[in-house]
Amino acid sequence: MTSPLARATLQVDTRAQAEVLDITPQVEEAVRELGMNQGVVLLYCPHTTCALTVNEVADPDVRDDVRRALWALVPAIRFRHIEGNSPAHLLAAMLGPSLLLPVEGGKLALGTWQGVYLCEFDGPRSRQVWVYPLAASP
Amino acid sequence: MTSPLARATLQVDTRAQAEVLDITPQVEEAVRELGMNQGVVLLYCPHTTCALTVNEVADPDVRDDVRRALWALVPAIRFRHIEGNSPAHLLAAMLGPSLLLPVEGGKLALGTWQGVYLCEFDGPRSRQVWVYPLAASP
Amino acid sequence: MTSPLARATLQVDTRAQAEVLDITPQVEEAVRELGMNQGVVLLYCPHTTCALTVNEVADPDVRDDVRRALWALVPAIRFRHIEGNSPAHLLAAMLGPSLLLPVEGGKLALGTWQGVYLCEFDGPRSRQVWVYPLAASP
């Protein structure tokens, strides 16, 4: 188990405290950079106040609705974490840091309306997304 | 990285606007179809208003409770997306499109009470679930 | 597709009805036990009332805030499941059973502040986490 693990790293600069960003074009570029033809990519978010998910990218209203609805979910409890960003930690923990996407013919094999969202909950910040190729079964 | 990536495709016809369906038998069939013995399967949902998760399938009341509770989570904000199905996009984004399940001895290696749920949030529709075999480390 | 799938099994004894536990050291030990150098590990939770996620482990207030906020999310609907633990099933279904973490140089490659949480929603119980090594693309 000593084969080198190629990794592409995306740099994403967010521009607001709360933002839902379409990063599909950058993920496609990472897939090309990794030289993948068929397989699965793991997108891994190494942060604790942003997260990754997939949803419709055709209508920007969808990501705006998702962003506002996620924040409206945060319960009005007394948070203790001194930095004051516990809602961001909650939303990141709920959405999770890892996402798997199929690759076919050198491109992401997403559904017709799907794109990849980076959800910033504590920006603006410089974020990374790590992209790892995984092998299909022989 | 040019090995062919086998994919099995499940067809799932949902019957209601909101539904939590046990698709475990169909996933088991896909595992057989792929000829897997040991490894991990990626289940990928190529839609933006339904999602996949795992939970108890023994008592149908559980999936009914989960379905009603997910909808009760949707906050009463003003949604802008013109199609009117932003709550479905929110729930799909929260649950996520990808799910990994271990396979041992040619069968899904789930916990005793676990089964695979397709959560329909904008049905009834014809849905697909893509099933990809992933390789274990050599 | 007949290669043996190594699996390490973590035993986690939770101590409260609701608890967010840092299991990062045990996952690191599993990675060593599996003899992995580079790749990705799948953590799989075979239960229906607990779940896995990743978040900040430096300040214990964060996991306490996340625990209380998750419970505050549970809507006040009439649950039907006779065992009375439907809120636990809901939270487990929302967070999901599977988590993928990169491994580099024989260790988990997490972000600076990240650690792995087991979220107990129906304890105290004896829980397992199954750890599977996945192959990187050749």
Side-chain angles (χ1 to χ4, degrees):
Chain A
M1 296 187 197
T2 54
S3 60
L5 178 65
R7 182 220 278 186
T9 300
L10 308 186
Q11 300 287 345
V12 182
D13 292 319
T14 62
R15 288 155 303 180
Q17 192 262 337
E19 198 175 8
V20 172
L21 275 167
D22 175 12
I23 61 166
T24 317
Q26 288 146 278
V27 178
E28 290 282 14
E29 200 180 308
V31 168
R32 281 191 298 272
E33 189 186 323
L34 292 168
M36 291 185 76
N37 185 35
Q38 310 283 354
V40 166
V41 278
L42 166 63
L43 304 193
Y44 187 78
C45 175
H47 307 287
T48 59
T49 54
C50 72
L52 301 169
T53 193
V54 162
N55 213 265
E56 183 189 317
V57 291
D59 177 2
D61 278 349
V62 172
R63 78 193 80 146
D64 191 62
D65 283 349
V66 167
R67 176 182 55 77
R68 291 182 302 116
L70 286 172
W71 282 93
L73 278 175
V74 176
I77 63 168
R78 187 182 190 89
F79 291 110
R80 296 190 184 126
H81 180 48
I82 196 107
E83 291 182 41
N85 60 354
S86 284
H89 287 291
L90 169 69
L91 294 174
M94 280 172 55
L95 267 63
S98 57
L99 194 62
L100 279 180
L101 304 174
V103 172
E104 301 187 3
K107 305 182 78 166
L108 290 177
L110 304 178
T112 310
W113 304 104
Q114 288 185 324
V116 186
Y117 285 164
L118 182 138
C119 303
E120 172 64 81
F121 299 123
D122 194 31
R125 288 182 190 237
S126 283
R127 301 298 198 173
Q128 291 194 349
V129 179
W130 299 344
V131 186
Y132 296 92
L134 295 186
S137 269
Chain B
M1 296 188 197
T2 52
S3 60
L5 179 65
R7 182 220 278 186
T9 300
L10 308 185
Q11 299 286 346
V12 182
D13 292 319
T14 61
R15 288 154 302 181
Q17 191 262 338
E19 198 175 9
V20 171
L21 275 168
D22 175 12
I23 61 167
T24 317
Q26 287 146 282
V27 178
E28 289 283 14
E29 199 180 309
V31 168
R32 282 192 298 272
E33 189 185 326
L34 292 168
M36 291 186 75
N37 185 35
Q38 309 283 353
V40 166
V41 278
L42 166 64
L43 304 193
Y44 187 79
C45 174
H47 308 286
T48 60
T49 54
C50 72
L52 300 170
T53 193
V54 162
N55 213 268
E56 183 189 316
V57 291
D59 177 2
D61 278 349
V62 172
R63 79 193 77 147
D64 192 62
D65 283 350
V66 167
R67 175 183 55 77
R68 290 182 303 115
L70 286 172
W71 282 94
L73 279 175
V74 176
I77 63 170
R78 186 183 192 88
F79 290 109
R80 295 190 185 126
H81 179 47
I82 197 107
E83 292 181 42
N85 59 354
S86 284
H89 287 291
L90 169 69
L91 294 174
M94 279 172 56
L95 267 63
S98 57
L99 194 62
L100 279 180
L101 303 174
V103 172
E104 301 188 2
K107 304 180 79 166
L108 290 177
L110 303 179
T112 309
W113 303 105
Q114 289 184 324
V116 185
Y117 285 165
L118 181 138
C119 303
E120 171 64 82
F121 300 122
D122 194 31
R125 287 182 191 239
S126 282
R127 301 299 198 172
Q128 290 194 349
V129 178
W130 299 344
V131 186
Y132 295 92
L134 295 186
S137 268
Chain C
M1 297 189 197
T2 53
S3 59
L5 178 65
R7 181 220 278 188
T9 301
L10 308 185
Q11 299 286 346
V12 183
D13 292 320
T14 61
R15 289 155 301 180
Q17 192 261 336
E19 198 175 8
V20 171
L21 275 167
D22 174 12
I23 60 168
T24 317
Q26 287 146 280
V27 178
E28 289 283 13
E29 200 180 308
V31 167
R32 282 193 297 272
E33 188 185 324
L34 292 168
M36 292 185 75
N37 184 36
Q38 309 284 354
V40 166
V41 278
L42 166 64
L43 304 194
Y44 187 78
C45 175
H47 307 287
T48 59
T49 54
C50 73
L52 300 169
T53 192
V54 162
N55 214 266
E56 184 190 315
V57 291
D59 178 1
D61 278 350
V62 172
R63 78 194 78 146
D64 192 62
D65 282 350
V66 167
R67 175 184 55 78
R68 290 182 302 118
L70 286 171
W71 283 95
L73 278 174
V74 175
I77 62 168
R78 186 184 191 88
F79 291 110
R80 295 190 186 128
H81 178 46
I82 196 108
E83 292 181 42
N85 60 354
S86 284
H89 287 292
L90 169 70
L91 294 174
M94 279 172 57
L95 267 64
S98 58
L99 194 61
L100 278 180
L101 303 174
V103 172
E104 301 189 2
K107 305 181 76 167
L108 289 177
L110 304 178
T112 309
W113 304 104
Q114 288 184 324
V116 186
Y117 286 166
L118 181 138
C119 303
E120 171 64 81
F121 300 123
D122 194 30
R125 289 181 190 238
S126 283
R127 301 297 200 173
Q128 291 194 350
V129 178
W130 299 343
V131 186
Y132 296 92
L134 295 186
S137 269

